[in-house]
Amino acid sequence: MNSLLLHHLETVRSITLNVLSSVTEEESLLTPNGFSNNIVWNLGHIAYIQEKLVFELAGQKNQLPPSYEQLFAAGTNPSQWEEEPPTLTQLQEELTAQTERIKEFIPAHFDMKLAKPFTNKAGISFDYVGSTFLFSFYHEGMHVETIKQIKKAVQTQKS
């Protein structure tokens, strides 16, 4: 397993956490006009989908709180929430802990064939843990960009 991939994981996640550090709790819960989700949803979605792509598809147990599926799975949004979402601090802790778990798990499982191929919403199929792991970088980057756009829209609407 190439340490460059683990370094890239750390780089991507540090970018995410850095963006998180510039957001207030108030901003994180606002859904500006033109968006269907808020910053908390996007951060939770990153964690939830990463867990699915790396661990669940490999037959491992999801180690995130059970509420994350109802709060952050694809197709959910804050207007449907019936419980309090995690705080930014809680999300930061989950994302940090998840990074460490992935760093321990992925080297021994990168080349593992999935029991059943996974096809995402775009119709792209994956057969190996490494493939879903690499795709997760793209997924996280898309949501980090969305977080930046939401933050900008929230600040524009406040002024």
Side-chain angles (χ1 to χ4, degrees):
M1 171 74 201
N2 190 330
S3 63
L4 182 60
L5 292 176
L6 295 179
H7 178 70
H8 190 66
L9 166 68
E10 290 175 343
T11 300
V12 170
R13 190 51 55 92
S14 70
I15 291 168
T16 302
L17 294 173
N18 187 47
V19 169
L20 184 153
S21 71
S22 69
V23 174
T24 67
E25 199 72 45
E26 177 190 1
E27 290 171 333
S28 75
L29 294 169
L30 298 174
T31 303
N33 295 333
F35 293 88
S36 57
N37 293 305
N38 59 28
I39 292 171
V40 164
W41 184 90
N42 278 276
L43 291 166
H45 182 72
I46 288 169
Y48 176 75
I49 296 300
Q50 183 84 322
E51 194 78 12
K52 185 178 190 79
L53 291 173
V54 173
F55 297 108
E56 283 187 38
L57 293 175
Q60 302 295 305
K61 184 179 183 298
N62 182 324
Q63 294 187 37
L64 295 174
S67 63
Y68 275 44
E69 183 173 8
Q70 291 78 36
L71 294 169
F72 305 123
T76 62
N77 67 56
S79 68
Q80 301 167 329
W81 289 348
E82 295 180 3
E83 61 186 283
E84 285 293 313
T87 65
L88 288 178
T89 300
Q90 290 168 317
L91 285 166
Q92 180 179 20
E93 290 169 358
E94 290 291 354
L95 289 165
T96 301
Q98 184 181 64
T99 302
E100 294 307 310
R101 287 187 290 108
I102 292 170
K103 286 168 43 183
E104 290 175 18
F105 177 78
I106 208 70
H109 297 89
F110 188 83
D111 294 322
M112 181 180 134
K113 190 166 176 93
L114 299 174
K116 178 176 128 180
F118 170 71
T119 303
N120 69 9
K121 287 166 75 171
I124 302 168
S125 292
F126 302 95
D127 295 316
Y128 293 90
V129 171
S131 299
T132 59
F133 171 60
L134 293 173
F135 177 75
S136 73
F137 297 148
Y138 170 77
H139 179 263
E140 187 159 338
M142 282 187 352
H143 285 280
V144 167
E145 184 56 33
T146 299
I147 290 167
K148 290 177 182 178
Q149 294 301 318
I150 291 171
K151 181 173 172 53
K152 184 177 178 182
V154 164
Q155 290 174 335
T156 299
Q157 288 178 12
K158 284 169 66 174
S159 47

